[in-house]
Amino acid sequence: MQIAENLVALIHYTLKNEAGDVLDSSEGQEPLPFVCGANNIVAGLESALIGKVVGDKLDVVVKPEEGYGEIREELVQSVDRANFQGIDNIEVGMQFMAEAPWGQQPVTVMEVAEDTVKLDGNHPLAGQTLEFSVEVTEVRAATEDELAHGHVHGEGCNHDH
Ligand code: ZN
């Protein structure tokens, strides 16, 4: 069975940046499942996997526009420290969920001043060229629920239903 839209595929992967540093890997863990066509993985990786079968191994270079996007300056903002009441130690590198007009947005603390905190709402991998090495380990039909929800169910599924 070839990977195609509305099928579930499982992959082992290693993700490196252009410098060759390993950023993420499924090594020693379960393979990563995704519903093809449901934006579960970055577009550039998904399009390279279309048509592949179990056992296929490939290296895929994904540019920012097909990965996590370019860095957007407007997503870097300074907010009043009063927004962080109840949090005693705000440190550079901490991550929070913020309310954005389009929903929940993870933000990373860039700077902490006396009255303000500078936050970066860009994805940590925005602006980076990503180098994936992947191996397809399984391709199967998706269940109706998986298609309706746009994600894979089963072992490792960490939500309630
Ligand atoms: Zn679900």
Side-chain angles (χ1 to χ4, degrees):
M1 192 183 276
Q2 292 183 315
I3 296 177
E5 211 155 291
N6 295 333
L7 294 180
V8 169
L10 281 73
I11 55 171
H12 271 302
Y13 69 96
T14 297
L15 168 60
K16 293 179 182 173
N17 61 16
E18 275 183 302
D21 304 319
V22 175
L23 303 176
D24 193 11
S25 173
S26 64
E27 201 182 310
Q29 301 173 47
E30 292 295 309
L32 174 76
F34 67 97
V35 178
C36 189
N39 292 318
N40 292 171
I41 61 173
V42 295
L45 179 58
E46 184 168 84
S47 60
L49 283 165
I50 301 274
K52 298 293 185 261
V53 298
V54 171
D56 280 353
K57 293 180 183 181
L58 57 160
D59 295 320
V60 186
V61 176
V62 177
K63 297 282 178 197
E65 62 267 27
E66 290 214 291
Y68 291 99
E70 301 288 355
I71 291 171
R72 291 163 58 194
E73 290 297 328
E74 69 269 27
L75 294 182
V76 177
Q77 288 184 342
S78 286
V79 300
D80 202 312
R81 209 177 183 303
N83 288 303
F84 294 88
Q85 276 176 9
I87 302 167
D88 292 333
N89 287 309
I90 303 173
E91 287 170 14
V92 171
M94 284 175 87
Q95 292 195 311
F96 296 94
M97 293 304 287
E99 288 293 337
W102 53 87
Q104 294 265 309
Q105 166 85 35
V107 297
T108 306
V109 176
M110 294 177 74
E111 277 175 37
V112 183
E114 196 173 333
D115 298 323
T116 59
V117 178
K118 194 174 185 184
L119 298 173
D120 185 355
N122 286 288
H123 190 283
L125 296 177
Q128 295 203 41
T129 295
L130 310 172
E131 301 189 0
F132 290 94
S133 296
V134 297
E135 178 179 0
V136 181
T137 63
E138 188 179 339
V139 183
R140 64 167 170 83
T143 64
E144 274 180 37
D145 274 353
E146 286 172 333
L147 288 179
H149 294 176
H151 55 232
V152 174
H153 288 168
E155 251 178 279
C157 180
N158 54 8
H159 67 154
D160 305 326
H161 52 245

